[in-house]
C-alpha cells in the first residue's frame, strides 16, 4: 500500500508557508500502516500539475492531492485532472444545489456552476458539502482530491480518505485500530517503555501482531495501536498500568472534553482566574459544546491591579510574595470560588514570556492552583517554549490537575515540569 | 531558470518534522528570480532516491538535494548518486585530511574515509569542511548536495548555491514578494476585483509582471504578490483603495498584533466581556507579547447570572430584550468600561452552537459591542460554521471593529456578515 501525495500551490513552492499537510499526511498514514513513496509539490501551473498527476497515478497504488480546488483563477486542479486523463467535466447537480443553498453563492450562480463542474466519475468526499473534495478512480486506483486549507485537509483525510483506504486493503481492514491519548508524557518515555515491554521474550508474538504509531497533538500525545485485537488489548493494559496519571482516554476526546464529561457526570461546576494564560484556559473549557453546564464564569486578571480589584487578592500577599508565587495563586483560587460559588476553581499566574523574567523566575515559570471546597493546591511549573506554547501547555495542565484530582484525588505533584507544591486548607 | 528540490529523509515522509528546508529554498530562490518547478520528498530508500535523481536531472535546469549526507546507515545520497549516474566513488583527499584534523574523527579513521568517499567530479561546497555538501555537474547542469540539518542547509544555500546560480544565469535579478493581509474579505470578491482591474487594456503590461497567490489563514486572507516592483506597487494601491476597511496591512502581522500596535501607539487600554466567545477574545489579545501594555482585565461572563453579578448588567434588560440582544451587548460594553477604567471595551453575546438556537436566533447569531468613552455600538452578526470557527471569527471581528474604529471612526456596520446595527451615546 504505497501511495503518493501531490501538493499544489504557489504558496508552497515559493516558501510562503511550510507544508503542514505533508507532515500531517505522513504522520497519519504511517500510523495506520500506509506508506508514502513520494511527496511532490508543484506550483499552480497546469502543465506541471498534469505531468505530476500522470506520473504519480502510474507509479503508485493510491494518490492524495491537496490544493487548487477553490473558486479563484489559480485553482487549476480540476482542469488539470481533466487534461491529464482526458476526462470530461460535468455538472454535479448535488454539489450545485448545495452551493446554491449556501448564502455565499446565492448571488453568484456562475461561480456555483463553475465549482460544481467536476471530472466525470467524481464522488464528493464531503457529503454535507461544506468543503470541496472529491474522489476519482483511475486505472483502478483511488485518487483523492482534498482542499489545501489545513483544517479541511485534515478533516477529510482522517474522516474520509483513511477509512476508504482501510476498506480497500482488507489485510489492513481485518485488524483493529485503537487510539490512546496521553498528557504530560514524553514520546521518548513512552517509546522506552514500549521497547522494554515488547522485548520480553514471552511477548515475541505480541510484537509481530501490533504496530505502533506516535502522533503528538501538542500538548497531548496520541498513540495509535494497529494490529490484532488481543495484542492491542495487552499492550493497552501495560500502558494504562505504567502511565496511570498520564493516560487520558481512548479515541478522539481531548482533555477539555474529558474534563467536561467528568464534571457533568458529577454535577460539579468550575470557575477560572487567569493571569499569564490570558483567557486561553476559559477558551479551552468553552470550546466544548454544552460547557455552560459546568462553567459559568471566568476572570482574566492580567494586571496586578485587576487581581486586587476584581478578585480581591490582598495587596499585602502580592507585595510580600510577588505576583508570581504559590501564595498569590492560592489566594486567586480561593477568591475565585467565593466570587463564583463554583465547586472548583483553577488559577494561573506566571511568566509566559518572551520578556518579564527575573533571576529567580525565568520565562516559563507558572504557578497553577486548584481550589476545592476544603483546600487549595498550588504547583510551580517550569515550561519551555514560545509564548503561545507556554500559554497552551499551562492551560492544559490546569485542566489536567482537576482531572487527576477528580479521578485519583492525587498525582498533582508529579508532573514532568512540576518543581514544587504547596497546599492550604480552608 | 527552473530547478527542482529533492529532500531525502524518513523523518519528512513519516511526518515527524515539517519541511523547513523546502520553505526556505522556495523563499530564497524566488526572491532572486529562480523558480522551483517541483519539490520532491522521498524516504531513505536507495531505489526511490535513484529514480527521483534521474528524473529531476533530466527535467530541470538545476537541482538542489537536501539530506542523506551523514555517517549513519540511512544516509544513502552518495550511494544513490553513484548508482543513478554510474559514477565511481573516489576518495577526496582534501575532505579526508580536513576530517582527520577535526576532533570528531580523530579516533575514527574508517568513518572519515567513508565520508571522504564522494562521486567522481565532486567539488566540496564547504571550503573549511565544517559541513558536508558538494556540487556535481551532470548533463551540463549544476547539482548541489546539501546537508539536511536546516542551519547547514540554509548556510550553504545562501552562501554557495545562490551565488553560483546567479553566476550561471546573470539575467536573473531580484523580483519582489509582497504579502498583503485582509480581514472580512471573500476570496471570490478579491479575485473578481483583480480580474477586472487587470483586464483593463492599459494594464496589459501589469498583468505580465505580477503573479498573485491567495492564501486563506482563517479567518484572515493573505494575498501574495510576486513580480516586478512597479507592477506590485500599482496592484497594491488598487487593492488598498478598493478594500479600504478590509486591508489589515502588509507582511506577517495578524489582527491581534496590528490592533496591539495601534493601541500602544495611542496609549489606549482595552477590556473585554465575553459570553459566547468564552475567553477566546482575551486569549487572542494576550497571545501578543507585551499585551499587558494595553490589556489589563477581561470577564468571561458565560452564564446569565454572571453577567448580572460580575458586570452589573440589569436583570430587567436581559428579561426584556433577551440575553442575546443589542441591549444586553451594549450594557455589557458599558459596564465593562466602568469595571475596568479602560478606554475601550469589547463585549460578545450570542449562540456559538451547536445547540441553543431559537426561531428568531439561529446558531451563529452573535451581538458584538464596542464601548468608548462617549458611546457604545453593537452589531448583530450571523456567522456560519462549526462552534470553534464561530467563536474564532466572532473574536477576530470584535478586534477588527476596534481597529476600524481607531483608524477610520467608521465602517462598523458594513461587515459581510453584519445584519444590523445599534448605537447608544452615554
Amino acid at each position: 500500500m504505497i501511495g503518493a501525495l501531490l501538493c499544489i500551490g504557489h504558496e508552497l513552492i515559493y516558501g510562503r508557508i511550510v507544508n503542514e499537510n505533508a507532515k500531517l499526511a505522513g504522520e497519519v498514514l504511517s500510523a495506520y500502516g500506509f506508506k508514502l513513496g513520494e511527496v511532490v509539490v508543484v506550483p499552480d501551473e497546469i502543465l506541471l500539475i498534469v505531468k505530476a498527476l500522470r506520473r504519480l497515478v502510474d507509479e503508485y497504488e493510491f494518490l492524495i492531492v491537496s490544493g487548487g480546488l477553490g473558486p479563484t483563477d489559480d485553482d487549476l486542479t480540476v482542469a488539470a485532472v481533466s487534461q491529464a486523463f482526458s476526462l470530461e467535466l460535468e455538472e454535479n447537480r448535488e454539489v450545485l444545489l448545495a452551493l446554491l443553498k449556501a448564502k455565499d453563492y446565492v448571488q453568484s450562480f456562475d461561480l456555483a456552476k463553475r465549482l460544481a463542474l467536476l471530472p466525470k466519475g467524481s464522488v464528493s468526499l464531503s457529503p454535507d458539502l461544506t468543503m470541496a473534495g472529491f474522489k476519482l478512480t483511475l486505472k483502478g486506483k483511488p485518487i483523492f482530491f482534498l482542499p489545501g486549507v489545513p483544517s479541511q485537509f485534515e478533516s477529510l483525510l482522517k474522516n474520509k480518505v483513511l477509512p476508504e483506504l482501510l476498506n480497500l486493503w482488507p489485510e489492513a481492514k481485518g485488524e483493529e485500530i485503537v487510539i490512546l491519548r496521553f498528557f504530560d508524557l514524553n514520546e521518548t518515555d513512552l517509546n522506552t517503555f514500549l521497547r522494554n515491554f515488547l522485548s520480553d521474550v514471552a511477548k515475541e508474538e505480541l510484537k509481530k501482531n501490533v504496530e505502533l504509531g506516535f502522533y503528538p497533538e501538542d500538548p497531548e500525545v496520541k498513540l495509535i495501536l494497529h494490529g490484532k485485537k488481543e495484542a492491542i488489548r495487552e499492550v493497552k493494559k501495560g500502558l494504562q498500568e505504567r502511565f496511570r496519571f498520564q493516560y487520558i482516554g481512548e479515541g478522539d476526546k481531548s482533555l477539555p472534553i474529558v474534563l467536561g464529561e467528568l464534571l457533568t457526570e458529577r454535577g460539579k461546576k468550575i470557575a477560572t482566574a487567569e493571569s499569564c494564560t490570558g483567557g486561553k484556559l476559559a477558551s479551552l473549557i468553552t470550546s466544548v459544546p454544552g460547557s455552560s453546564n459546568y462553567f459559568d464564569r471566568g476572570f482574566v486578571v492580567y494586571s496586578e491591579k485587576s487581581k486586587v480589584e476584581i478578585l480581591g487578592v490582598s495587596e499585602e500577599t502580592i507585595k510580600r510574595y510577588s505576583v508570581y508565587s504559590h501564595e498569590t495563586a492560592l489566594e486567586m483560587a480561593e477568591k475565585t470560588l467565593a466570587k463564583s460559588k463554583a465547586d472548583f476553581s483553577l488559577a494561573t499566574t506566571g511568566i509566559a514570556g518572551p520578556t518579564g523574567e527575573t533571576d529567580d523566575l525565568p520565562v516559563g515559570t507558572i504557578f497553577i492552583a486548584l481550589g476545592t471546597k476544603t483546600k487549595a493546591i498550588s504547583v510551580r511549573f517550569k515550561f519551555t517554549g514560545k509564548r503561545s506554547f507556554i500559554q497552551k501547555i499551562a492551560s492544559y495542565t490546569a485542566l489536567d490537575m482537576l482531572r487527576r484530582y477528580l479521578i485519583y484525588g492525587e498525582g498533582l505533584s508529579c508532573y514532568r515540569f512540576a518543581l514544587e507544591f504547596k497546599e492550604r486548607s480552608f
Side-chain angles (χ1 to χ4, degrees), chain A:
Chain A
M1 289 90 74
I2 301 185
L5 172 68
L6 173 61
C7 304
I8 299 169
H10 268 113
E11 71 281 6
L12 291 168
I13 212 89
Y14 288 139
R16 301 320 302 172
I17 58 165
V18 292
N19 197 339
E20 290 287 350
N21 291 350
K23 178 177 189 296
L24 182 84
E27 233 167 19
V28 169
L29 292 170
S30 63
Y32 286 86
F34 295 100
K35 196 178 140 179
L36 289 177
E38 222 174 299
V39 175
V40 178
V41 184
V42 294
D44 298 305
E45 283 180 33
I46 196 145
L47 292 180
L48 291 170
I49 304 172
V50 166
K51 200 179 70 172
L53 277 171
R54 284 190 183 139
R55 182 176 70 81
L56 295 171
V57 168
D58 273 349
E59 294 183 3
Y60 293 94
E61 292 170 84
F62 65 89
L63 176 61
I64 299 170
V65 181
S66 145
L69 297 183
T72 62
D73 286 346
D74 60 1
D75 288 307
L76 298 168
T77 302
V78 166
V81 174
S82 163
Q83 189 172 324
F85 305 103
S86 308
L87 286 175
E88 274 171 51
L89 297 182
E90 52 179 34
E91 193 175 287
N92 187 314
R93 288 196 62 79
E94 187 197 14
V95 172
L96 181 62
L97 287 172
L99 284 172
L100 290 175
K101 256 193 220 159
K103 193 180 136 225
D104 274 7
Y105 297 99
V106 170
Q107 292 168 319
S108 182
F109 188 66
D110 286 349
L111 185 63
K113 278 193 79 103
R114 186 176 156 193
L115 282 171
L117 217 53
L118 296 181
K120 204 171 170 171
S122 301
V123 180
S124 171
L125 285 176
S126 172
D128 57 355
L129 294 158
T130 52
M131 298 176 248
F134 59 91
K135 183 194 154 190
L136 269 177
T137 303
L138 294 169
K139 305 186 181 187
K141 299 168 182 180
I143 322 292
F144 301 93
F145 296 88
L146 309 187
V149 181
S151 59
Q152 300 184 358
F153 180 85
E154 177 170 359
S155 167
L156 289 181
L157 179 75
K158 287 181 175 171
N159 299 316
K160 292 288 157 184
V161 176
L162 202 52
E164 284 230 24
L165 290 177
L166 287 167
N167 204 34
L168 280 165
W169 279 278
E171 62 270 35
K173 191 187 164 195
E175 298 177 348
E176 206 186 35
I177 284 168
V178 170
I179 300 173
L180 304 179
R181 294 179 87 97
F182 298 86
F183 177 72
D184 190 47
L185 188 56
N186 198 315
E187 241 185 74
T188 317
D189 293 345
L190 198 58
N191 209 21
T192 306
F193 164 75
L194 286 169
R195 200 160 34 215
N196 295 339
F197 186 75
L198 295 173
S199 72
D200 188 330
V201 181
K203 302 202 180 82
E204 203 45 54
E205 194 58 26
L206 204 59
K207 204 174 165 179
K208 273 187 290 182
N209 288 329
V210 64
E211 254 183 89
L212 300 159
F214 296 97
Y215 186 42
E217 218 174 60
D218 262 347
E220 299 181 9
V221 173
K222 268 161 73 170
L223 180 61
I224 297 164
L225 307 179
H226 175 216
K228 297 271 190 296
K229 210 167 179 168
E230 272 305 302
I232 287 180
R233 199 163 62 185
E234 199 168 332
V235 174
K236 190 175 137 188
K237 206 173 134 232
L239 285 162
Q240 280 171 313
E241 278 168 13
R242 171 65 185 80
F243 299 111
R244 184 168 73 116
F245 289 134
Q246 291 84 355
Y247 175 69
I248 310 172
E250 212 171 301
D252 259 338
K253 282 180 193 163
S254 172
L255 205 39
I257 299 172
V258 169
L259 180 63
E261 290 181 346
L262 276 172
L263 289 166
T264 306
E265 255 170 40
R266 301 182 187 204
K268 300 293 183 190
K269 295 212 172 205
I270 184 189
T272 56
E274 305 180 60
S275 185
C276 55
T277 52
K280 181 78 188 166
L281 173 54
S283 169
L284 284 173
I285 295 170
T286 60
S287 69
V288 180
S291 46
S292 56
N293 290 326
Y294 48 85
F295 180 76
D296 86 344
R297 72 193 66 179
F299 305 91
V300 185
V301 284
Y302 209 54
S303 66
E304 260 180 58
K305 219 167 75 180
S306 68
K307 290 175 187 73
V308 175
E309 290 178 9
I310 303 295
L311 288 181
V313 173
S314 90
E315 289 188 69
E316 179 59 22
T317 303
I318 294 177
K319 203 185 278 170
R320 192 162 156 198
Y321 298 101
S322 127
V323 69
Y324 313 126
S325 63
H326 285 306
E327 287 73 13
T328 299
L330 289 167
E331 211 170 310
M332 285 170 71
E334 188 182 343
K335 302 285 186 185
T336 302
L337 285 175
K339 288 267 175 194
S340 65
K341 302 181 193 73
D343 303 285
F344 300 102
S345 66
L346 291 170
T348 66
T349 180
I351 306 158
T355 58
E357 71 180 355
T358 66
D359 287 348
D360 298 342
L361 300 163
V363 165
T365 300
I366 313 271
F367 295 84
I368 306 178
L370 163 66
T372 75
K373 293 283 181 202
T374 58
K375 64 183 172 183
I377 303 156
S378 164
V379 183
R380 176 184 179 156
F381 293 89
K382 171 66 181 75
F383 299 112
T384 313
K386 285 195 299 189
R387 179 182 179 83
S388 59
F389 181 72
I390 289 174
Q391 290 180 321
K392 190 175 178 184
I393 194 169
S395 300
Y396 271 85
T397 302
L399 297 177
D400 195 63
M401 281 171 62
L402 180 52
R403 184 193 64 89
R404 287 193 187 183
Y405 184 83
L406 286 172
I407 299 179
Y408 303 108
E410 56 161 343
L412 270 65
S413 59
C414 52
Y415 283 94
R416 269 194 303 154
F417 302 113
L419 297 181
E420 55 187 49
F421 172 86
K422 186 156 192 169
E423 195 172 314
R424 180 188 295 165
S425 296
F426 300 143

